[in-house]
Amino acid sequence: MDPRALCFLTCCLLVCVISAEIQNRGRTTKAQKKKGLRAAIPGEVKPSGPPGQRKPKSVKNQKSPQTKTPVEAAASAALSPLPSSILVQPLELRCLGRVVRWRVPVYLEEEGEGRLRIKHLCQHSQLLVVNSTSADTGEHSCWAWRCQDGACTEGEALHGKSFIFFTDPEELFVPTEDYYQVVQLHTHQPDLLPCQVTNPLAHVTLHREFPPEEIPVDGMDISFDVKKGFIIHWFQASLSGSLFCMASLGGMRQISTKYMLIYINYPSSSPKPTIQASATSVQLGENFSVNCTVLGEPEIAVDFSWEYPSQKLGRPPYTSERVDVVRWEGQVQQDAVSTLYVEETQAGDAGVYTCWATNLQGTGTAATRIRVIQSPQPPSKPWPMSKASLHTLTPGPTSEAEAELS
């Protein structure tokens, strides 16, 4: 048979398989839920362990592997997004395209070719995961490349992705290797507690370790995403400390990794310094100073540095810094000031003075120019004049009396 005809028949079979799976997906999922509930141990609370401490478990009477295939249009070959799935081992995914790349969860990617196997065929690529565990839960995606004359480029529309839940009645959370995980709380962006579940039907709550209490989740300040974990949308200093997630399904309860939340007052923008000198024109031998000021958010550390003309001559600077809390336009602000002092001004002190202000978000600069001038000369005293000098300055005699006097 002609190879092109064989590939066409293969694609037709794939479409048929997809249609059958869509019809049976609800029944398969419901059956797997019941199986997971029967395996749960009533009243048990246990922490989730690291992946290396568990052995893959076989499933009795396992059905044929489910295949999720992105649909390819005949002309554009565009991949449509894959739906979320609830699967048991093994897993098989197919992505249509001649040149295909895959992305899988980190834990599965570290396994290499031990449990992860990829085959590239004439019209599609096949990904197979054998001996799957709950740690393989996560997003699996593929994308096709356009290749012409030996050069390949990634097509933006040729993407397909699917979030796969590997359900395990004994592991409600995706296991990690860390017993404690540090999470930084920021004031300018949401923060994530990645307590990811292996079953989307699990009920998950957020708890504080000391003092022991449940933290309310209102969907506004804090929300829960079944594919990510708890998202802290608005900063709350009261959340600092040790937190953990608790999942329950059927009669089983389980706690997640402990998360140590540390508050970091992160600046919303880089500093914008202003600079001002005590005088822009200074006489030789006089003293002057230059102030660099940053008005910003409270409790944000600002580091100052200077560049000045006599720096190249090895003249050491004399600086001082201070921080005040002020109220500006109805808001409490921090006023950070660095002052550079120059004593007994020399000619080499003339030039541009530049201030650099830096915080965690970036650096800002400001500059001013100083002129150095010499002191004006005092007015000279008149010299005493003799008769001879007076004679030289006096016009010729105009009368006989003046002539005799001279």
Side-chain angles (χ1 to χ4, degrees), residues 134 137-138 163-167 171-175 194-205 224-230 245-248 256:
S134 58
T137 297
F163 194 96
I164 311 297
F165 292 94
F166 288 88
T167 59
E171 295 289 349
L172 298 183
F173 287 104
V174 177
C195 47
Q196 207 173 36
V197 292
T198 62
N199 194 319
L201 301 180
H203 176 67
V204 187
T205 53
F224 180 73
D225 189 326
V226 71
K227 298 179 182 179
K228 297 179 180 179
F230 283 100
C245 308
M246 178 178 291
S248 59
S256 69

PDB file of all heavy atoms in Angstrom, residues 134 137-138 163-167 171-175 194-205 224-230 245-248 256:
ATOM      1  N   SER A 134       1.893   9.377  41.136  1.00  0.00           N
ATOM      2  CA  SER A 134       1.187  10.635  41.391  1.00  0.00           C
ATOM      3  C   SER A 134       2.097  11.832  41.194  1.00  0.00           C
ATOM      4  O   SER A 134       1.615  12.945  40.947  1.00  0.00           O
ATOM      5  CB  SER A 134       0.630  10.635  42.818  1.00  0.00           C
ATOM      6  OG  SER A 134       1.681  10.444  43.760  1.00  0.00           O
ATOM      7  N   THR A 137       1.820  14.111  37.990  1.00  0.00           N
ATOM      8  CA  THR A 137       0.706  15.036  37.792  1.00  0.00           C
ATOM      9  C   THR A 137       1.222  16.397  37.355  1.00  0.00           C
ATOM     10  O   THR A 137       2.173  16.928  37.917  1.00  0.00           O
ATOM     11  CB  THR A 137      -0.104  15.175  39.090  1.00  0.00           C
ATOM     12  OG1 THR A 137      -0.670  13.907  39.429  1.00  0.00           O
ATOM     13  CG2 THR A 137      -1.206  16.208  38.934  1.00  0.00           C
ATOM     14  N   GLY A 138       0.605  16.952  36.343  1.00  0.00           N
ATOM     15  CA  GLY A 138       1.023  18.268  35.864  1.00  0.00           C
ATOM     16  C   GLY A 138       0.651  18.462  34.412  1.00  0.00           C
ATOM     17  O   GLY A 138      -0.068  17.650  33.805  1.00  0.00           O
ATOM     18  N   PHE A 163      -3.544  19.133  31.129  1.00  0.00           N
ATOM     19  CA  PHE A 163      -3.158  18.913  32.520  1.00  0.00           C
ATOM     20  C   PHE A 163      -3.645  17.528  32.929  1.00  0.00           C
ATOM     21  O   PHE A 163      -4.834  17.240  32.888  1.00  0.00           O
ATOM     22  CB  PHE A 163      -3.758  19.992  33.427  1.00  0.00           C
ATOM     23  CG  PHE A 163      -3.139  20.030  34.782  1.00  0.00           C
ATOM     24  CD1 PHE A 163      -2.109  20.910  35.072  1.00  0.00           C
ATOM     25  CD2 PHE A 163      -3.564  19.165  35.780  1.00  0.00           C
ATOM     26  CE1 PHE A 163      -1.521  20.949  36.315  1.00  0.00           C
ATOM     27  CE2 PHE A 163      -2.985  19.183  37.023  1.00  0.00           C
ATOM     28  CZ  PHE A 163      -1.960  20.072  37.297  1.00  0.00           C
ATOM     29  N   ILE A 164      -2.720  16.678  33.335  1.00  0.00           N
ATOM     30  CA  ILE A 164      -3.028  15.277  33.640  1.00  0.00           C
ATOM     31  C   ILE A 164      -2.971  15.067  35.148  1.00  0.00           C
ATOM     32  O   ILE A 164      -1.970  15.370  35.789  1.00  0.00           O
ATOM     33  CB  ILE A 164      -2.033  14.322  32.947  1.00  0.00           C
ATOM     34  CG1 ILE A 164      -1.884  14.688  31.463  1.00  0.00           C
ATOM     35  CG2 ILE A 164      -2.492  12.879  33.122  1.00  0.00           C
ATOM     36  CD1 ILE A 164      -3.139  14.543  30.659  1.00  0.00           C
ATOM     37  N   PHE A 165      -4.071  14.550  35.715  1.00  0.00           N
ATOM     38  CA  PHE A 165      -4.096  14.153  37.113  1.00  0.00           C
ATOM     39  C   PHE A 165      -3.865  12.640  37.203  1.00  0.00           C
ATOM     40  O   PHE A 165      -4.655  11.870  36.662  1.00  0.00           O
ATOM     41  CB  PHE A 165      -5.441  14.493  37.761  1.00  0.00           C
ATOM     42  CG  PHE A 165      -5.707  15.956  37.900  1.00  0.00           C
ATOM     43  CD1 PHE A 165      -6.423  16.638  36.928  1.00  0.00           C
ATOM     44  CD2 PHE A 165      -5.254  16.658  38.996  1.00  0.00           C
ATOM     45  CE1 PHE A 165      -6.668  17.990  37.044  1.00  0.00           C
ATOM     46  CE2 PHE A 165      -5.502  18.009  39.134  1.00  0.00           C
ATOM     47  CZ  PHE A 165      -6.208  18.682  38.160  1.00  0.00           C
ATOM     48  N   PHE A 166      -2.806  12.238  37.848  1.00  0.00           N
ATOM     49  CA  PHE A 166      -2.561  10.817  38.106  1.00  0.00           C
ATOM     50  C   PHE A 166      -3.093  10.517  39.500  1.00  0.00           C
ATOM     51  O   PHE A 166      -2.423  10.739  40.506  1.00  0.00           O
ATOM     52  CB  PHE A 166      -1.068  10.501  38.007  1.00  0.00           C
ATOM     53  CG  PHE A 166      -0.537  10.517  36.605  1.00  0.00           C
ATOM     54  CD1 PHE A 166      -0.077  11.698  36.045  1.00  0.00           C
ATOM     55  CD2 PHE A 166      -0.522   9.365  35.829  1.00  0.00           C
ATOM     56  CE1 PHE A 166       0.407  11.730  34.749  1.00  0.00           C
ATOM     57  CE2 PHE A 166      -0.043   9.399  34.534  1.00  0.00           C
ATOM     58  CZ  PHE A 166       0.419  10.571  33.986  1.00  0.00           C
ATOM     59  N   THR A 167      -4.315  10.029  39.568  1.00  0.00           N
ATOM     60  CA  THR A 167      -4.973   9.816  40.851  1.00  0.00           C
ATOM     61  C   THR A 167      -4.328   8.662  41.598  1.00  0.00           C
ATOM     62  O   THR A 167      -3.910   7.658  41.019  1.00  0.00           O
ATOM     63  CB  THR A 167      -6.457   9.533  40.638  1.00  0.00           C
ATOM     64  OG1 THR A 167      -6.597   8.368  39.811  1.00  0.00           O
ATOM     65  CG2 THR A 167      -7.133  10.708  39.951  1.00  0.00           C
ATOM     66  N   GLU A 171      -2.109   9.020  47.941  1.00  0.00           N
ATOM     67  CA  GLU A 171      -1.355  10.267  47.803  1.00  0.00           C
ATOM     68  C   GLU A 171      -2.286  11.345  47.251  1.00  0.00           C
ATOM     69  O   GLU A 171      -2.544  11.403  46.053  1.00  0.00           O
ATOM     70  CB  GLU A 171      -0.146  10.086  46.867  1.00  0.00           C
ATOM     71  CG  GLU A 171       0.913   9.134  47.378  1.00  0.00           C
ATOM     72  CD  GLU A 171       1.677   9.705  48.559  1.00  0.00           C
ATOM     73  OE1 GLU A 171       1.526  10.923  48.845  1.00  0.00           O
ATOM     74  OE2 GLU A 171       2.411   8.952  49.203  1.00  0.00           O
ATOM     75  N   LEU A 172      -2.792  12.192  48.130  1.00  0.00           N
ATOM     76  CA  LEU A 172      -3.683  13.260  47.687  1.00  0.00           C
ATOM     77  C   LEU A 172      -2.918  14.479  47.193  1.00  0.00           C
ATOM     78  O   LEU A 172      -3.470  15.287  46.449  1.00  0.00           O
ATOM     79  CB  LEU A 172      -4.618  13.665  48.834  1.00  0.00           C
ATOM     80  CG  LEU A 172      -5.565  12.561  49.339  1.00  0.00           C
ATOM     81  CD1 LEU A 172      -6.475  13.109  50.427  1.00  0.00           C
ATOM     82  CD2 LEU A 172      -6.385  11.969  48.201  1.00  0.00           C
ATOM     83  N   PHE A 173      -1.643  14.651  47.609  1.00  0.00           N
ATOM     84  CA  PHE A 173      -0.818  15.756  47.150  1.00  0.00           C
ATOM     85  C   PHE A 173       0.307  15.224  46.269  1.00  0.00           C
ATOM     86  O   PHE A 173       0.815  14.114  46.490  1.00  0.00           O
ATOM     87  CB  PHE A 173      -0.200  16.522  48.323  1.00  0.00           C
ATOM     88  CG  PHE A 173      -1.174  17.369  49.084  1.00  0.00           C
ATOM     89  CD1 PHE A 173      -1.642  16.962  50.320  1.00  0.00           C
ATOM     90  CD2 PHE A 173      -1.633  18.569  48.557  1.00  0.00           C
ATOM     91  CE1 PHE A 173      -2.544  17.732  51.013  1.00  0.00           C
ATOM     92  CE2 PHE A 173      -2.539  19.351  49.251  1.00  0.00           C
ATOM     93  CZ  PHE A 173      -2.999  18.925  50.489  1.00  0.00           C
ATOM     94  N   VAL A 174       0.675  16.033  45.272  1.00  0.00           N
ATOM     95  CA  VAL A 174       1.846  15.695  44.460  1.00  0.00           C
ATOM     96  C   VAL A 174       3.067  15.779  45.377  1.00  0.00           C
ATOM     97  O   VAL A 174       3.359  16.841  45.937  1.00  0.00           O
ATOM     98  CB  VAL A 174       1.997  16.669  43.274  1.00  0.00           C
ATOM     99  CG1 VAL A 174       3.259  16.357  42.496  1.00  0.00           C
ATOM    100  CG2 VAL A 174       0.778  16.585  42.372  1.00  0.00           C
ATOM    101  N   PRO A 175       3.789  14.685  45.575  1.00  0.00           N
ATOM    102  CA  PRO A 175       4.883  14.669  46.551  1.00  0.00           C
ATOM    103  C   PRO A 175       6.077  15.503  46.095  1.00  0.00           C
ATOM    104  O   PRO A 175       6.320  15.696  44.909  1.00  0.00           O
ATOM    105  CB  PRO A 175       5.257  13.190  46.648  1.00  0.00           C
ATOM    106  CG  PRO A 175       4.812  12.611  45.348  1.00  0.00           C
ATOM    107  CD  PRO A 175       3.607  13.379  44.915  1.00  0.00           C
ATOM    108  N   PRO A 194       2.482  26.083  46.382  1.00  0.00           N
ATOM    109  CA  PRO A 194       2.244  25.056  45.361  1.00  0.00           C
ATOM    110  C   PRO A 194       1.877  23.692  45.931  1.00  0.00           C
ATOM    111  O   PRO A 194       2.514  22.678  45.615  1.00  0.00           O
ATOM    112  CB  PRO A 194       3.595  25.006  44.630  1.00  0.00           C
ATOM    113  CG  PRO A 194       4.594  25.359  45.672  1.00  0.00           C
ATOM    114  CD  PRO A 194       3.918  26.349  46.581  1.00  0.00           C
ATOM    115  N   CYS A 195       0.823  23.646  46.747  1.00  0.00           N
ATOM    116  CA  CYS A 195       0.354  22.338  47.246  1.00  0.00           C
ATOM    117  C   CYS A 195      -0.609  21.771  46.199  1.00  0.00           C
ATOM    118  O   CYS A 195      -1.821  21.984  46.256  1.00  0.00           O
ATOM    119  CB  CYS A 195      -0.298  22.487  48.613  1.00  0.00           C
ATOM    120  SG  CYS A 195      -1.479  23.844  48.762  1.00  0.00           S
ATOM    121  N   GLN A 196      -0.041  21.046  45.263  1.00  0.00           N
ATOM    122  CA  GLN A 196      -0.783  20.543  44.102  1.00  0.00           C
ATOM    123  C   GLN A 196      -1.391  19.191  44.433  1.00  0.00           C
ATOM    124  O   GLN A 196      -0.726  18.315  44.991  1.00  0.00           O
ATOM    125  CB  GLN A 196       0.183  20.416  42.924  1.00  0.00           C
ATOM    126  CG  GLN A 196      -0.438  20.546  41.569  1.00  0.00           C
ATOM    127  CD  GLN A 196       0.631  20.566  40.497  1.00  0.00           C
ATOM    128  OE1 GLN A 196       1.649  19.891  40.574  1.00  0.00           O
ATOM    129  NE2 GLN A 196       0.412  21.352  39.475  1.00  0.00           N
ATOM    130  N   VAL A 197      -2.653  19.015  44.090  1.00  0.00           N
ATOM    131  CA  VAL A 197      -3.346  17.765  44.403  1.00  0.00           C
ATOM    132  C   VAL A 197      -3.276  16.804  43.219  1.00  0.00           C
ATOM    133  O   VAL A 197      -3.112  17.212  42.071  1.00  0.00           O
ATOM    134  CB  VAL A 197      -4.814  18.018  44.781  1.00  0.00           C
ATOM    135  CG1 VAL A 197      -4.907  18.759  46.099  1.00  0.00           C
ATOM    136  CG2 VAL A 197      -5.527  18.782  43.680  1.00  0.00           C
ATOM    137  N   THR A 198      -3.408  15.521  43.518  1.00  0.00           N
ATOM    138  CA  THR A 198      -3.432  14.493  42.467  1.00  0.00           C
ATOM    139  C   THR A 198      -4.841  14.176  42.009  1.00  0.00           C
ATOM    140  O   THR A 198      -5.019  13.493  40.997  1.00  0.00           O
ATOM    141  CB  THR A 198      -2.766  13.199  42.975  1.00  0.00           C
ATOM    142  OG1 THR A 198      -3.525  12.695  44.096  1.00  0.00           O
ATOM    143  CG2 THR A 198      -1.343  13.467  43.431  1.00  0.00           C
ATOM    144  N   ASN A 199      -5.846  14.670  42.738  1.00  0.00           N
ATOM    145  CA  ASN A 199      -7.236  14.407  42.382  1.00  0.00           C
ATOM    146  C   ASN A 199      -8.013  15.727  42.499  1.00  0.00           C
ATOM    147  O   ASN A 199      -8.067  16.320  43.579  1.00  0.00           O
ATOM    148  CB  ASN A 199      -7.841  13.352  43.310  1.00  0.00           C
ATOM    149  CG  ASN A 199      -9.157  12.809  42.760  1.00  0.00           C
ATOM    150  OD1 ASN A 199      -9.982  13.554  42.240  1.00  0.00           O
ATOM    151  ND2 ASN A 199      -9.356  11.501  42.887  1.00  0.00           N
ATOM    152  N   PRO A 200      -8.621  16.190  41.418  1.00  0.00           N
ATOM    153  CA  PRO A 200      -9.342  17.473  41.473  1.00  0.00           C
ATOM    154  C   PRO A 200     -10.584  17.437  42.345  1.00  0.00           C
ATOM    155  O   PRO A 200     -11.155  18.492  42.637  1.00  0.00           O
ATOM    156  CB  PRO A 200      -9.694  17.734  40.004  1.00  0.00           C
ATOM    157  CG  PRO A 200      -9.738  16.384  39.380  1.00  0.00           C
ATOM    158  CD  PRO A 200      -8.694  15.569  40.080  1.00  0.00           C
ATOM    159  N   LEU A 201     -11.013  16.264  42.785  1.00  0.00           N
ATOM    160  CA  LEU A 201     -12.193  16.161  43.631  1.00  0.00           C
ATOM    161  C   LEU A 201     -11.865  16.336  45.107  1.00  0.00           C
ATOM    162  O   LEU A 201     -12.780  16.431  45.935  1.00  0.00           O
ATOM    163  CB  LEU A 201     -12.859  14.796  43.422  1.00  0.00           C
ATOM    164  CG  LEU A 201     -13.306  14.483  41.987  1.00  0.00           C
ATOM    165  CD1 LEU A 201     -13.940  13.109  41.921  1.00  0.00           C
ATOM    166  CD2 LEU A 201     -14.266  15.538  41.479  1.00  0.00           C
ATOM    167  N   ALA A 202     -10.591  16.409  45.450  1.00  0.00           N
ATOM    168  CA  ALA A 202     -10.197  16.549  46.852  1.00  0.00           C
ATOM    169  C   ALA A 202     -10.567  17.937  47.367  1.00  0.00           C
ATOM    170  O   ALA A 202     -10.461  18.937  46.651  1.00  0.00           O
ATOM    171  CB  ALA A 202      -8.702  16.306  47.006  1.00  0.00           C
ATOM    172  N   HIS A 203     -10.996  17.985  48.619  1.00  0.00           N
ATOM    173  CA  HIS A 203     -11.305  19.263  49.275  1.00  0.00           C
ATOM    174  C   HIS A 203     -10.052  19.722  50.013  1.00  0.00           C
ATOM    175  O   HIS A 203      -9.513  19.001  50.862  1.00  0.00           O
ATOM    176  CB  HIS A 203     -12.466  19.083  50.255  1.00  0.00           C
ATOM    177  CG  HIS A 203     -12.788  20.324  51.033  1.00  0.00           C
ATOM    178  ND1 HIS A 203     -13.304  21.463  50.444  1.00  0.00           N
ATOM    179  CD2 HIS A 203     -12.662  20.602  52.359  1.00  0.00           C
ATOM    180  CE1 HIS A 203     -13.484  22.383  51.372  1.00  0.00           C
ATOM    181  NE2 HIS A 203     -13.099  21.889  52.542  1.00  0.00           N
ATOM    182  N   VAL A 204      -9.579  20.937  49.702  1.00  0.00           N
ATOM    183  CA  VAL A 204      -8.304  21.414  50.222  1.00  0.00           C
ATOM    184  C   VAL A 204      -8.531  22.668  51.056  1.00  0.00           C
ATOM    185  O   VAL A 204      -9.252  23.586  50.639  1.00  0.00           O
ATOM    186  CB  VAL A 204      -7.313  21.711  49.076  1.00  0.00           C
ATOM    187  CG1 VAL A 204      -5.929  22.043  49.638  1.00  0.00           C
ATOM    188  CG2 VAL A 204      -7.214  20.520  48.125  1.00  0.00           C
ATOM    189  N   THR A 205      -7.914  22.709  52.232  1.00  0.00           N
ATOM    190  CA  THR A 205      -7.981  23.868  53.116  1.00  0.00           C
ATOM    191  C   THR A 205      -6.567  24.306  53.483  1.00  0.00           C
ATOM    192  O   THR A 205      -5.608  23.542  53.359  1.00  0.00           O
ATOM    193  CB  THR A 205      -8.773  23.553  54.394  1.00  0.00           C
ATOM    194  OG1 THR A 205      -8.222  22.372  55.006  1.00  0.00           O
ATOM    195  CG2 THR A 205     -10.236  23.306  54.061  1.00  0.00           C
ATOM    196  N   PHE A 224      -7.932  29.271  45.619  1.00  0.00           N
ATOM    197  CA  PHE A 224      -7.337  27.957  45.387  1.00  0.00           C
ATOM    198  C   PHE A 224      -7.533  27.553  43.942  1.00  0.00           C
ATOM    199  O   PHE A 224      -8.635  27.634  43.398  1.00  0.00           O
ATOM    200  CB  PHE A 224      -7.959  26.906  46.307  1.00  0.00           C
ATOM    201  CG  PHE A 224      -7.383  25.525  46.096  1.00  0.00           C
ATOM    202  CD1 PHE A 224      -6.100  25.223  46.539  1.00  0.00           C
ATOM    203  CD2 PHE A 224      -8.117  24.544  45.454  1.00  0.00           C
ATOM    204  CE1 PHE A 224      -5.564  23.961  46.339  1.00  0.00           C
ATOM    205  CE2 PHE A 224      -7.592  23.277  45.262  1.00  0.00           C
ATOM    206  CZ  PHE A 224      -6.314  22.984  45.703  1.00  0.00           C
ATOM    207  N   ASP A 225      -6.443  27.140  43.286  1.00  0.00           N
ATOM    208  CA  ASP A 225      -6.468  26.625  41.922  1.00  0.00           C
ATOM    209  C   ASP A 225      -6.088  25.161  41.986  1.00  0.00           C
ATOM    210  O   ASP A 225      -4.999  24.807  42.469  1.00  0.00           O
ATOM    211  CB  ASP A 225      -5.476  27.397  41.044  1.00  0.00           C
ATOM    212  CG  ASP A 225      -5.609  27.041  39.562  1.00  0.00           C
ATOM    213  OD1 ASP A 225      -5.910  25.871  39.254  1.00  0.00           O
ATOM    214  OD2 ASP A 225      -5.393  27.929  38.714  1.00  0.00           O
ATOM    215  N   VAL A 226      -6.959  24.288  41.502  1.00  0.00           N
ATOM    216  CA  VAL A 226      -6.742  22.855  41.638  1.00  0.00           C
ATOM    217  C   VAL A 226      -5.500  22.396  40.879  1.00  0.00           C
ATOM    218  O   VAL A 226      -4.920  21.344  41.184  1.00  0.00           O
ATOM    219  CB  VAL A 226      -7.993  22.082  41.146  1.00  0.00           C
ATOM    220  CG1 VAL A 226      -8.122  22.174  39.635  1.00  0.00           C
ATOM    221  CG2 VAL A 226      -7.954  20.630  41.585  1.00  0.00           C
ATOM    222  N   LYS A 227      -5.036  23.194  39.904  1.00  0.00           N
ATOM    223  CA  LYS A 227      -3.846  22.825  39.130  1.00  0.00           C
ATOM    224  C   LYS A 227      -2.572  23.482  39.662  1.00  0.00           C
ATOM    225  O   LYS A 227      -1.487  23.140  39.195  1.00  0.00           O
ATOM    226  CB  LYS A 227      -4.033  23.227  37.665  1.00  0.00           C
ATOM    227  CG  LYS A 227      -5.195  22.528  36.983  1.00  0.00           C
ATOM    228  CD  LYS A 227      -5.328  23.003  35.544  1.00  0.00           C
ATOM    229  CE  LYS A 227      -6.515  22.347  34.855  1.00  0.00           C
ATOM    230  NZ  LYS A 227      -6.673  22.820  33.451  1.00  0.00           N
ATOM    231  N   LYS A 228      -2.707  24.425  40.610  1.00  0.00           N
ATOM    232  CA  LYS A 228      -1.524  25.143  41.098  1.00  0.00           C
ATOM    233  C   LYS A 228      -1.372  25.067  42.603  1.00  0.00           C
ATOM    234  O   LYS A 228      -0.310  24.754  43.118  1.00  0.00           O
ATOM    235  CB  LYS A 228      -1.598  26.615  40.667  1.00  0.00           C
ATOM    236  CG  LYS A 228      -1.578  26.830  39.169  1.00  0.00           C
ATOM    237  CD  LYS A 228      -1.684  28.308  38.832  1.00  0.00           C
ATOM    238  CE  LYS A 228      -1.662  28.538  37.339  1.00  0.00           C
ATOM    239  NZ  LYS A 228      -1.783  30.004  37.007  1.00  0.00           N
ATOM    240  N   GLY A 229      -2.430  25.386  43.342  1.00  0.00           N
ATOM    241  CA  GLY A 229      -2.373  25.465  44.792  1.00  0.00           C
ATOM    242  C   GLY A 229      -3.050  26.732  45.267  1.00  0.00           C
ATOM    243  O   GLY A 229      -3.906  27.294  44.576  1.00  0.00           O
ATOM    244  N   PHE A 230      -2.671  27.223  46.441  1.00  0.00           N
ATOM    245  CA  PHE A 230      -3.254  28.443  46.985  1.00  0.00           C
ATOM    246  C   PHE A 230      -2.497  29.657  46.459  1.00  0.00           C
ATOM    247  O   PHE A 230      -1.267  29.700  46.484  1.00  0.00           O
ATOM    248  CB  PHE A 230      -3.212  28.424  48.516  1.00  0.00           C
ATOM    249  CG  PHE A 230      -4.265  27.547  49.131  1.00  0.00           C
ATOM    250  CD1 PHE A 230      -3.950  26.278  49.574  1.00  0.00           C
ATOM    251  CD2 PHE A 230      -5.578  27.987  49.236  1.00  0.00           C
ATOM    252  CE1 PHE A 230      -4.915  25.458  50.135  1.00  0.00           C
ATOM    253  CE2 PHE A 230      -6.556  27.184  49.792  1.00  0.00           C
ATOM    254  CZ  PHE A 230      -6.226  25.903  50.239  1.00  0.00           C
ATOM    255  N   CYS A 245      -1.121  22.838  53.743  1.00  0.00           N
ATOM    256  CA  CYS A 245      -2.423  22.546  53.147  1.00  0.00           C
ATOM    257  C   CYS A 245      -2.919  21.190  53.649  1.00  0.00           C
ATOM    258  O   CYS A 245      -2.110  20.295  53.926  1.00  0.00           O
ATOM    259  CB  CYS A 245      -2.334  22.534  51.626  1.00  0.00           C
ATOM    260  SG  CYS A 245      -1.571  24.009  50.905  1.00  0.00           S
ATOM    261  N   MET A 246      -4.228  21.040  53.748  1.00  0.00           N
ATOM    262  CA  MET A 246      -4.828  19.764  54.133  1.00  0.00           C
ATOM    263  C   MET A 246      -5.876  19.381  53.095  1.00  0.00           C
ATOM    264  O   MET A 246      -6.737  20.191  52.739  1.00  0.00           O
ATOM    265  CB  MET A 246      -5.465  19.840  55.517  1.00  0.00           C
ATOM    266  CG  MET A 246      -6.138  18.531  55.931  1.00  0.00           C
ATOM    267  SD  MET A 246      -6.857  18.597  57.600  1.00  0.00           S
ATOM    268  CE  MET A 246      -5.362  18.665  58.593  1.00  0.00           C
ATOM    269  N   ALA A 247      -5.768  18.156  52.577  1.00  0.00           N
ATOM    270  CA  ALA A 247      -6.704  17.642  51.577  1.00  0.00           C
ATOM    271  C   ALA A 247      -7.494  16.482  52.173  1.00  0.00           C
ATOM    272  O   ALA A 247      -6.949  15.674  52.939  1.00  0.00           O
ATOM    273  CB  ALA A 247      -5.962  17.185  50.327  1.00  0.00           C
ATOM    274  N   SER A 248      -8.760  16.411  51.813  1.00  0.00           N
ATOM    275  CA  SER A 248      -9.620  15.316  52.265  1.00  0.00           C
ATOM    276  C   SER A 248     -10.427  14.802  51.087  1.00  0.00           C
ATOM    277  O   SER A 248     -10.895  15.575  50.241  1.00  0.00           O
ATOM    278  CB  SER A 248     -10.546  15.783  53.397  1.00  0.00           C
ATOM    279  OG  SER A 248     -11.356  16.862  52.963  1.00  0.00           O
ATOM    280  N   SER A 256       0.138  18.545  53.453  1.00  0.00           N
ATOM    281  CA  SER A 256       1.133  18.764  52.412  1.00  0.00           C
ATOM    282  C   SER A 256       2.487  19.090  53.026  1.00  0.00           C
ATOM    283  O   SER A 256       2.684  19.033  54.249  1.00  0.00           O
ATOM    284  CB  SER A 256       0.696  19.927  51.510  1.00  0.00           C
ATOM    285  OG  SER A 256       0.763  21.152  52.238  1.00  0.00           O
TER     286      SER A 256
END
